[in-house]
Each structure stands twice: as C-alpha cells, then as structure tokens.
Amino acid sequence: MDDGLEQSWWANMPHELLREVLLRIESSEAKWPPRRSVVACAGVCRTWRLIVMEIVKPPQLSSNITFPISLKQPGPREHLLQCFIRRNSGTQTYYLFISLSSALADDGKFLLAARKFRRPTCTDYIISLDADDMSRESSAHIGKLRSNFLGTKFTIYDSQLPHARAKMTKSCSTKLVNPKQVSPKVPTGNYPVAHISYELNVLGSRGPRRMHCVIDTIPASAIEPEWVAPSQTSYSASNIGTSFPFFQTNSTHLENSISGEQNNKKDDVLVLRNKAARWHEQMQCWCLNFHGRVTIASVKNFQLAALTVNGHAEPQEDNVILQFGKVGKDLFTMDYRYPISAFQAFAICLSSFATTVACE
C-alpha cells in the first residue's frame, strides 16, 4: 500500500472522532512505559500532532513528562515529581530517570544523561537527551553545568534561549553547527540560566554543606499561586525529531494567564537555599526529613527551598522545591517541583557530585 495514501487516510479521519480517540489514549496511558503510545500518536502525521498539542498538558498541570520539551518546563505545583540518578564512577557519567513506582529503585524511564569533562581551569558537565552521545557537538546536547577551579561556584547554561522574553547576555558564546540542524529563528549557544554557590569551609568545622542557587530566568514571584513561571515551548534542533517526533506542547493556556503587568514588571529572581539540618543527639549526626526518600547519610544530601521576603528559607516541609539524597553506592533520588524544570534540577544535583572538600 502506498505510504502517502495510507497517511492521508489517517489524516482525513473525522476531527471529532480523532480527537475523542486521542483523548482516551492520553487519559488511559498516564504513566510510562504505556505512555509511549501518546508519543507514537504525535508522530503519525501533522493533523494528529496538532490535536495532541491541544490535549497534552505541560508537567506543571499534568505531573507527566511526555515529550523531551517537558524536561525544560516547570514541574508540578502540588507535589514533588520523583526521579533518581544513577552514577557510573568509572566513566564519570550520570543518568536521570523518572520513577515508575514509589520504590526507591526501579527500572525507571530515561530522561537525561551527563558526562564530566575536566579542563585546566574548570569542569564541565555536558547534558544530553541521548544516553550514548554526550558530546558538545551532538544534536542531543541541551545544556551544561560549569564549575570554577575550586568547585565552589557553578553556572548552568542552556543551549538555547530559555523562553521568548529572555535576553542574551555577554557571557553567552555560540557554537558552529550545521544550519540544516537548527531553526534560524532560535540561535544555539550558551545561555546562563542559573548560578550555584557553595560556601567555603575555611574553619574546617564538620557539618552539612551550605549552598544557594539563583535562577536568573525565574522571577521570585513565580512561586505565588497567581503567577506562572516562564518556560520553553519547543526545541530548535529539528534533526532530533527523527527519534523524538514531537517537541512542542500547547502552553498557550499558561502564557495567556500571564498578564501584561507581569510581563513588564521587573521582579527579583528566584533564590533557593538549602534547608538547615538539625543535629540528632542519639544518632550523633545531622538530619533532614526526606520522608523516606533518602536512606544513606551523605554530605551530598540536600533540600532546597525558596527564600522568603525576609531572606530565610521556608521551614515547612511542603515548600521544598528540590531534594537530593543517597540511597545506594551509585544511586541517588532527585525529587523536584514547580517552578524549576527537570533540566535545572538535574544540573543543580550534578553540582553536588562536583563539590570539593573545601566546602565540607
């Protein structure tokens, strides 16, 4: 049968019937691995893709990561999205998975990968959509984490503008790419989106690390109920579409909720600080309540919360935006929520692997 004719039959299905079918598929296949059916539907033809764009909601509203672009969009508002990181110390690579169950360790659904590259004056962690290709030249490259020489300060770079209203800074550097691989409307380069700092332990006192993270692309007001954090809606590398057929979500319902007043307002950026651990006299160690998601004590473990107006992190447990902790020799849980994305959360957690003893 002719492929073009067969595709036209699928494309010419009655719109109401097609939408009803796709709605049922989307609602019934809510979790991975069955959710791959939604991705397959988006790759049938343009008509199907446009309908799926209307149906599939971003993680903030659906708590689902369906397409690669979901990794650059804010997580759910109401709860932490449970993920985990597997470390390969031999190859200095790190793999992010979304949990498929409430267990601390399962097969998971692969999301992102990163590889550590040491340089004379800094260290880079190249972040990729491809678990087997984590080079800077790869079309699956979506960003990186760079540390200073001491491993106390880090910058998260996005490979493209984080959102439509973002501006390119002087610290951005572009890379040479095949013009056929990138949309001419979206330049590819390094766009700093966040900065992470660890305090130096100059006195050598034992205790948890102290860290804070400044998210330059998210206003501090984004954590308020009536505000919405900006996010990306599409990737620029079209050739990735051969393996990931769908790179956009219909976020107009989010963008339309942002009033003109919010767009024009110059707000302070979002600042996250690690929650202070408490000393447990009986256990003789510093403790944080991870609600069972962390089982092994480590200086790498942390919880980040947004700073309040008075400059202090909120003490309530439900205000944790990102938590990271050890559950095995090379296994770590990573749970995040709105207003940060999986990409930002992964990069922040990578900084914990890179921090030197000067911060401990």
Side-chain angles (χ1 to χ4, degrees):
M1 182 181 293
D2 182 73
D3 291 340
L5 178 59
E6 184 178 3
Q7 180 172 336
S8 67
W9 288 350
W10 289 108
N12 292 327
M13 286 182 61
H15 187 277
E16 294 77 8
L17 175 60
L18 177 57
R19 182 178 178 82
E20 181 63 26
V21 170
L22 295 179
L23 274 171
R24 294 190 179 188
I25 293 175
E26 200 278 335
S27 61
S28 62
E29 312 294 350
K31 302 295 181 182
W32 290 94
R35 195 157 179 81
R36 64 166 62 99
S37 300
V38 180
V39 179
C41 290
V44 171
C45 62
R46 184 173 182 273
T47 301
W48 285 48
R49 182 163 58 251
L50 292 176
I51 296 177
V52 174
M53 287 175 61
E54 299 175 359
I55 295 174
V56 175
K57 296 183 174 112
Q60 178 185 341
L61 301 177
S62 65
S63 300
N64 283 326
I65 293 181
T66 306
F67 304 108
I69 192 58
S70 304
L71 300 170
K72 293 286 190 75
Q73 296 174 334
R77 276 186 179 267
E78 304 301 327
H79 62 88
L80 292 166
L81 195 59
Q82 295 182 347
C83 306
F84 62 91
I85 298 174
R86 293 189 184 275
R87 175 180 62 182
N88 187 325
S89 301
T91 58
Q92 296 189 351
T93 51
Y94 307 83
Y95 303 91
L96 175 66
F97 299 82
I98 186 170
S99 299
L100 301 181
S101 67
S102 58
L104 292 178
D106 55 32
D107 293 336
K109 167 69 174 70
F110 171 76
L111 299 179
L112 290 170
R115 174 169 291 172
K116 182 178 182 179
F117 293 90
R118 292 187 180 274
R119 307 189 186 280
T121 59
C122 64
T123 299
D124 283 347
Y125 288 78
I126 304 300
I127 303 175
S128 173
L129 292 167
D130 192 336
D132 300 317
D133 188 355
M134 287 166 273
S135 65
R136 179 71 171 82
E137 295 75 22
S138 170
S139 60
H141 165 73
I142 63 169
K144 69 179 180 182
L145 173 75
R146 169 167 290 183
S147 75
N148 63 355
F149 179 75
L150 294 177
T152 58
K153 296 184 183 298
F154 301 80
T155 302
I156 301 174
Y157 293 92
D158 200 322
S159 62
Q160 68 181 75
L161 285 172
H163 53 86
R165 297 182 299 278
K167 295 182 179 180
M168 183 175 178
T169 65
K170 294 182 179 179
S171 59
C172 296
S173 61
T174 57
K175 68 175 181 177
L176 295 177
V177 295
N178 186 340
K180 295 182 180 180
Q181 297 179 353
V182 180
S183 168
K185 297 180 180 179
V186 184
T188 301
N190 289 328
Y191 302 93
V193 295
H195 301 272
I196 309 161
S197 297
Y198 289 82
E199 293 183 14
L200 280 171
N201 188 359
V202 293
L203 299 179
S205 58
R206 297 181 61 84
R209 296 170 176 171
R210 297 180 179 88
M211 64 180 292
H212 74 273
C213 180
V214 179
I215 313 293
D216 300 317
T217 56
I218 302 178
S221 57
I223 62 176
E224 299 175 9
E226 67 275 12
W227 292 69
V228 177
S231 66
Q232 294 184 14
T233 57
S234 65
Y235 277 119
S236 59
S238 60
N239 64 323
I240 307 179
T242 56
S243 57
F244 299 104
F246 184 65
F247 277 76
Q248 298 186 118
T249 55
N250 184 14
S251 61
T252 54
H253 52 287
L254 288 179
E255 294 175 356
N256 292 338
S257 65
I258 304 176
S259 64
E261 181 181 355
Q262 177 179 352
N263 293 337
N264 296 329
K265 180 180 179 180
K266 294 182 179 179
D267 200 354
D268 293 332
V269 295
L270 179 68
V271 179
L272 306 178
R273 188 178 295 276
N274 68 308
K275 298 185 68 172
R278 297 180 179 179
W279 178 256
H280 196 289
E281 288 293 342
Q282 294 181 344
M283 299 178 62
Q284 290 294 298
C285 65
W286 297 94
C287 296
L288 281 170
N289 186 4
F290 289 93
H291 298 281
R293 290 287 294 165
V294 177
T295 59
I296 300 177
S298 172
V299 294
K300 294 180 174 64
N301 302 347
F302 66 80
Q303 289 180 321
L304 292 183
L307 291 184
T308 56
V309 178
N310 58 9
H312 297 286
E314 289 281 3
Q316 292 83 2
E317 297 294 339
D318 57 358
N319 284 323
V320 171
I321 290 176
L322 170 64
Q323 66 178 22
F324 172 79
K326 192 171 185 179
V327 295
K329 180 181 178 181
D330 290 303
L331 185 64
F332 303 79
T333 55
M334 186 202 87
D335 304 336
Y336 78 99
R337 62 187 286 264
Y338 176 92
I340 65 173
S341 65
F343 165 72
Q344 293 166 337
F346 185 43
I348 294 172
C349 292
L350 288 174
S351 72
S352 188
F353 291 111
T355 308
T356 65
V357 293
C359 302
E360 301 173 4

